[in-house]
Amino acid sequence: QVQLVESGGGLVQPGGSLRLSCAASGIIFSINAMGWYRQGPGKERELVADITRSGNRNYGDSVKGRFTISTDNVKKTVYLQMNSLKPEDTAVYYCRLSTSLSTYWGQGTQVTVSS
């Protein structure tokens, strides 16, 4: 019943910026965290950024200082502002919602950083 829909992915040149959005719908209880993971070709899925219910933010080492996660709790939307993008950022980005009952994933949105 809970659905996560990502948007904002696409093709961008190195050094460019992109903003991803993830809108949650359905009945959601006891949110622990919302965030973003990514999986590049031939790689394991890794944490990009998440934000807990208390407002604590966690970032993967490779994106610190370049990416910023934020939420709009009224709209039930999480954003990922990505600046200074590098080819290594190329991946499918997945929105993640963690609750006390379950974990939900979006379908993913492709981000490609290339000249």
Side-chain angles (χ1 to χ4, degrees):
Q1 190 169 345
V2 175
Q3 188 173 14
L4 304 176
V5 180
E6 302 107 330
S7 62
L11 175 65
V12 65
Q13 292 188 334
S17 297
L18 212 59
R19 190 173 87 150
L20 306 182
S21 299
C22 173
S25 62
I27 301 175
I28 303 170
F29 298 96
S30 301
I31 295 175
N32 292 328
M34 292 191 70
W36 294 91
Y37 285 69
R38 69 185 183 187
Q39 188 165 17
K43 299 180 180 179
E44 298 288 331
R45 187 173 297 187
E46 65 177 0
L47 170 72
V48 178
D50 70 5
I51 182 167
T52 67
R53 185 178 182 181
S54 62
N56 294 323
R57 292 172 171 85
N58 302 293
Y59 294 95
D61 289 340
S62 63
V63 307
K64 289 180 180 177
R66 300 188 297 120
F67 291 10
T68 303
I69 188 170
S70 62
T71 60
D72 184 328
N73 292 332
V74 175
K75 296 181 179 179
K76 295 191 291 185
T77 300
V78 61
Y79 305 94
L80 183 69
Q81 179 66 47
M82 304 184 293
N83 298 325
S84 302
L85 284 162
K86 304 175 180 179
E88 307 93 269
D89 297 317
T90 296
V92 178
Y93 285 69
Y94 297 92
C95 181
R96 178 181 181 267
L97 168 64
S98 176
T99 73
S100 61
L101 296 177
S102 188
T103 298
Y104 305 92
W105 294 90
Q107 292 296 317
T109 184
Q110 177 71 46
V111 172
T112 302
V113 185
S114 176
S115 298

